[in-house]
């Protein structure tokens, strides 16, 4: 059964988000498993996005539809969802893939609602069984995984960043414009300002490496040792809710059920007990390293590597070892 897949290719700061390239690579794989078909990427953004579009061919796009206008430079849920729906109406795909990035988490349900389609959110695995797409997503705060089939056509799937690899191969995509049939004044709301945190690091939800600190750090001043390790290994700093509630770190750093869901290649939990609500946000990390002085701390149940010890001794030694390896 051939299949058509539409992928929303999100642009941020003049480049495609890695999570969007991951969606495209997965779409290419699923297309093969579904017996062929084609993958259309939809790009929405400011004037510069047209020049970026052809590069999507190497990640799996057969065609790219581009809606570009200066006023589309910044993400706007109303406008972007209308444009993705316009592309879907023209392409009539079986599947719509959208990265579950911060913007994607806003966009995917809007698109599904406008299409009257079923939505599977934050998907971490997908396979084809008997010609049908089966997807897997964490449920019950990450305690279990549900495998499901979405019965509508199209089915809208938001894909957790870092759950699938972004594979660059060869290939070129045919690029066409996507008509914009409305003006910003026609929309019921207008985005006035976006205040982005200026950390210079990848957002937690897309970071490949994270070092998170918990209440075991004893005070905000001690996050310095976490920041030093993170700096050496190119990681983003995260935090438990106990730390955020104490005002030691901003809420944007919080990992967990009421914070961000992350899936990095490496998650280092320092002085974090591993409460179920924390695990809900990080248990799909590929490699989990836990440092805790309590050998019975629940974090060790999900850890691939555990160090039972005082973080104030262990973390600076880890940082020093990394520096040595880097010849510093
Ligand atoms: C509805 C709800 C939603 C929630 N959402 C979230 C969420 O999104 N994210 C989240 O994180 N939590 C969340 N929580 C809170 C969660 O239940 C825990 O209270 C919280 O995760 C605990 O944070 P912690 O591990 O930093 O602190 P603690 O549980 O106090 O753990 C501190 C750990 O540090 C260790 N430690 C202490 N000193 C040292 C040392 N010197 N060296 C090494 N280890 C040391 C201790 O052994 C301990 O394991 C939520 C709770 C509720 C009820």
């Amino acid at each position: 059964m051939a299949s058509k897949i539409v992928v929303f290719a999100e642009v941020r700061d003049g480049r495609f988000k890695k999570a969007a390239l991951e969606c495209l690579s997965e779409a290419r794989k699923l297309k093969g498993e579904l017996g062929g078909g084609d993958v259309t990427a939809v790009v929405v953004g400011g004037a510069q996005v047209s020049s970026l579009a052809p590069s999507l061919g190497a990640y799996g796009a057969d065609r790219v539809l581009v809606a570009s206008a200066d006023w589309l430079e910044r993400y706007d849920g109303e406008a972007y969802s209308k444009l993705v729906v316009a592309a879907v109406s023209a392409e009539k795909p079986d599947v719509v893939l959208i990265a579950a990035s911060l913007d994607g988490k806003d966009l995917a349900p809007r698109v599904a609602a406008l299409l009257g389609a079923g939505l599977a959110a934050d998907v971490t695995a997908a396979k084809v069984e008997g010609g049908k797409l089966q997807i897997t997503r964490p449920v019950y705060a990450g305690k279990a995984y549900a495998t499901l089939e979405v019965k509508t056509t199209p089915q809208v799937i938001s894909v957790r960043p870092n759950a699938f690899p972004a594979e660059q191969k060869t290939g070129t995509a045919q690029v066409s414009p996507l008509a914009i049939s409305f003006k910003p004044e026609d929309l019921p709301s207008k985005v006035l300002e976006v205040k982005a945190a200026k950390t210079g690091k990848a957002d937690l939800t897309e970071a490949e490496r994270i070092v998170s600190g918990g209440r075991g750090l004893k005070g905000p001043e001690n996050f310095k040792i976490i920041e030093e390790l993170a700096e050496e290994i190119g990681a983003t700093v995260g935090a438990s809710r106990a730390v955020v509630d104490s005002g030691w770190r901003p809420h944007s750093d919080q990992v967990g059920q009421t914070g961000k869901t992350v899936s990095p290649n490496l998650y280092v939990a320092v002085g974090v007990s591993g409460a179920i609500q924390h695990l809900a946000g990080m248990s799909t990390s590929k490699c989990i390293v836990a440092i805790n002085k309590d050998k019975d701390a629940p974090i060790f149940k999900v850890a691939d590597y555990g160090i039972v010890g005082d973080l104030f001794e262990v973390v600076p030694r880890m940082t020093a070892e990394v520096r040595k390896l880097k010849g510093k």
Side-chain angles (χ1 to χ4, degrees), residues 50-129:
S50 304
S51 62
L52 302 174
S55 65
L56 293 178
Y59 290 92
D62 299 299
R63 302 197 306 122
V64 187
L65 296 177
V66 182
S68 84
D70 287 341
W71 62 275
L72 288 169
E73 172 88 41
R74 200 156 54 190
Y75 175 75
D76 177 324
E78 303 276 359
Y80 276 46
S81 55
K82 271 167 98 73
L83 288 163
V84 174
V85 167
V88 169
S89 303
E91 294 293 305
K92 303 201 174 13
D94 305 285
V95 183
V96 180
L97 294 183
I98 298 174
S101 60
L102 291 179
D103 290 347
K105 281 183 178 163
D106 179 76
L107 181 67
R110 286 175 186 271
V111 168
L114 288 170
L115 291 168
L119 166 71
D122 218 13
V123 164
T124 53
K127 64 176 179 180
V128 176
E129 281 276 320

Side-chain angles (χ1 to χ4, degrees), residues 9 29 236 290 293:
K29 194 194 101 203
T236 302
K293 67 177 185 186

Side-chain angles (χ1 to χ4, degrees), residues 213-218 239-245 248 251 254-260 267 269-281 291-300 307-314:
R215 190 147 47 190
L217 275 144
K218 314 262 189 274
S240 70
R241 176 162 163 178
V243 158
V244 171
D245 285 353
W248 300 356
H251 182 257
Q254 186 180 317
V255 173
Q257 190 179 321
T258 44
K260 289 181 175 162
Y267 189 89
V270 180
V272 174
S273 58
I276 178 70
Q277 296 89 353
H278 188 82
L279 302 186
I291 302 160
N292 199 302
K293 67 177 185 186
D294 174 8
K295 68 173 177 33
D296 296 321
I299 191 75
F300 288 127
I307 302 174
V308 180
D310 184 344
L311 68 91
F312 294 101
E313 287 170 23
V314 175

Side-chain angles (χ1 to χ4, degrees), residues 10-182:
E10 186 181 336
V11 178
R12 173 65 65 88
D13 298 331
R15 34 205 279 231
F16 289 110
K17 282 206 148 189
K18 186 170 149 279
L21 304 177
E22 291 164 9
C23 281
L24 269 173
S25 299
E26 184 59 17
R28 173 170 51 198
K29 194 194 101 203
L30 291 174
K31 175 181 90 170
E33 290 176 15
L34 286 162
D38 64 69
V39 175
T40 301
V42 180
V43 180
V44 182
Q48 90 290 0
V49 292
S50 304
S51 62
L52 302 174
S55 65
L56 293 178
Y59 290 92
D62 299 299
R63 302 197 306 122
V64 187
L65 296 177
V66 182
S68 84
D70 287 341
W71 62 275
L72 288 169
E73 172 88 41
R74 200 156 54 190
Y75 175 75
D76 177 324
E78 303 276 359
Y80 276 46
S81 55
K82 271 167 98 73
L83 288 163
V84 174
V85 167
V88 169
S89 303
E91 294 293 305
K92 303 201 174 13
D94 305 285
V95 183
V96 180
L97 294 183
I98 298 174
S101 60
L102 291 179
D103 290 347
K105 281 183 178 163
D106 179 76
L107 181 67
R110 286 175 186 271
V111 168
L114 288 170
L115 291 168
L119 166 71
D122 218 13
V123 164
T124 53
K127 64 176 179 180
V128 176
E129 281 276 320
K132 289 198 174 144
L133 183 58
Q134 286 191 350
I135 49 191
T136 301
R137 59 182 299 269
V139 290
Y140 299 119
K143 274 231 142 186
Y145 287 89
T147 299
L148 49 134
E149 283 174 20
V150 179
K151 289 187 169 170
T152 58
T153 305
Q155 43 185 300
V156 180
I157 297 174
S158 73
V159 178
R160 183 175 289 193
N162 287 327
F164 300 102
E167 286 174 317
Q168 188 173 14
K169 296 184 180 169
T170 50
T172 48
Q174 176 207 329
V175 181
S176 323
L178 174 65
I180 306 167
S181 61
F182 55 93

Side-chain angles (χ1 to χ4, degrees), residues 309-324:
D310 184 344
L311 68 91
F312 294 101
E313 287 170 23
V314 175
V315 177
R317 278 173 65 183
M318 282 173 89
T319 308
E321 286 301 321
V322 176
R323 284 184 181 144
K324 250 195 254 168

